[in-house]
Amino acid sequence: MTEISTYTSYVAIGDSFTEGLEDRAPAAGYRGWADRLAEHLAAAGPGLQYANLAVRGRLLRQIVDEQVPRAVELRPDLITFAGGGNDLLRPGADPDALAVVFDGAVRRLRATGAEVLVFTGFDTRDVPVLRRIRGKAAMFNLHLRAIADRHDCHLVDLWSMRPLLDPRAWAEDRLHMSPEGHRRVGLAACEALGVPVTGDWRDPWPPAPSVDWLTSRRSDLRWARAYLLPWIQRRLRGRSSGDEVVAKRPDLLPL
């Protein structure tokens, strides 16, 4: 693999995970693990140029049709690719069919000579509603690991990152990571690429106050009203949270 000091350009493609929801940037918009990774890469090799094409709500086919051609056009040294999670949330999702689409996209990206870093999905065992797709997510992850191996890609196995099972790794909507969750994923990405960093994504969380059963159930109800029901309503209307959103960094630019 290429030495980290030779990375002069980096393009991130994907959905809300890569766009950076809910890791608010100091000025405006979102930061997220990809921005954090770019910062680490720039520290290791000054002069890095970075583009982030990810848009929230995008399905895998949309990422492949809209973002992969642009990533190929930009011809960076490094591309990170995460997608398919929004597809798995939909009834009738087929992990095998998604894997075929993902594999074809990785083949196109690797053909440019870029190194590619891919991500498995998270373990949803402790998330209400989402735990129902855990089996499909696990099957898709098996495909993703095989794809990464077949095309000689770097891999971040989010499923095996036990610290991300802590509720504090997640925002209030339970669909997007908290700033600390994004920080840990950024560190895991650095580890997969061999980028030296200060800090370890495995660091234990500080003790958390205990929560009784009734308080937890009330929290679940508030979450359902505030986030789950609006999400269902958008699906029924054929709407997406990213319908009016464009990529936050469409061009390769210095940080």
Side-chain angles (χ1 to χ4, degrees):
M1 289 294 185
T2 308
E3 294 294 332
I4 187 62
S5 60
T6 64
Y7 290 136
T8 60
S9 52
Y10 162 39
V11 173
I13 62 176
D15 51 30
S16 59
F17 168 64
T18 302
E19 185 184 345
L21 277 65
E22 292 282 326
D23 183 12
R24 296 282 179 178
Y30 296 97
R31 189 182 181 193
W33 67 265
D35 285 17
R36 293 169 182 268
L37 170 59
E39 292 163 8
H40 289 302
L41 293 174
L48 178 85
Q49 292 191 313
Y50 167 51
N52 190 320
L53 311 180
V55 176
R56 69 196 74 172
R58 290 298 190 261
L59 299 173
L60 181 58
R61 175 55 70 180
Q62 292 174 312
I63 296 171
V64 171
D65 290 346
E66 299 168 7
Q67 299 175 30
V68 168
R70 178 59 175 158
V72 170
E73 179 184 8
L74 292 172
R75 301 191 71 82
D77 297 329
L78 173 67
I79 300 169
T80 58
F81 181 19
N86 290 319
D87 300 78
L88 292 173
L89 290 172
R90 302 192 172 213
D94 183 350
D96 298 329
L98 289 173
V100 173
V101 176
F102 200 100
D103 182 86
V106 170
R107 185 181 297 109
R108 290 170 63 188
L109 296 173
R110 287 288 284 144
T112 68
E115 292 194 24
V116 176
L117 172 64
V118 300
F119 297 76
T120 69
F122 299 99
D123 187 350
T124 61
R125 74 179 192 189
D126 297 325
V127 185
V129 180
L130 297 189
R131 66 170 60 100
R132 299 183 180 216
I133 68 165
R134 192 174 185 234
K136 288 186 177 182
M139 184 179 297
F140 188 47
N141 283 349
L142 290 175
H143 283 298
L144 293 175
R145 295 185 187 101
I147 290 169
D149 184 62
R150 182 159 55 247
H151 297 291
D152 194 22
C153 299
H154 302 277
L155 175 72
V156 174
D157 188 359
L158 297 171
W159 185 281
S160 68
M161 292 176 63
R162 298 297 92 182
L164 298 184
L165 293 176
D166 191 293
R168 289 170 289 183
W170 297 89
E172 288 185 4
D173 65 5
R174 304 182 186 180
L175 288 172
H176 302 104
M177 288 188 301
S178 66
E180 177 60 15
H182 278 286
R183 186 187 74 85
R184 289 176 185 253
V185 171
L187 291 175
C190 287
E191 181 178 284
L193 294 169
V195 181
V197 291
T198 300
D200 192 328
W201 62 263
R202 302 173 187 80
D203 288 340
W205 293 86
S210 59
V211 179
D212 60 74
W213 183 89
L214 182 59
T215 300
S216 294
R217 298 297 73 75
R218 287 172 175 166
S219 176
D220 289 342
L221 289 173
R222 287 194 298 270
W223 168 76
R225 286 194 298 266
Y227 300 106
L228 179 60
L229 289 179
W231 182 85
I232 293 174
Q233 290 168 348
R234 286 198 302 273
R235 297 286 79 74
L236 292 174
R237 296 168 183 163
R239 301 285 297 170
S240 167
S241 59
D243 284 346
E244 308 299 327
V245 179
V246 296
K248 64 181 183 180
R249 292 182 65 96
D251 302 305
L252 281 172
L253 295 170
L255 285 175

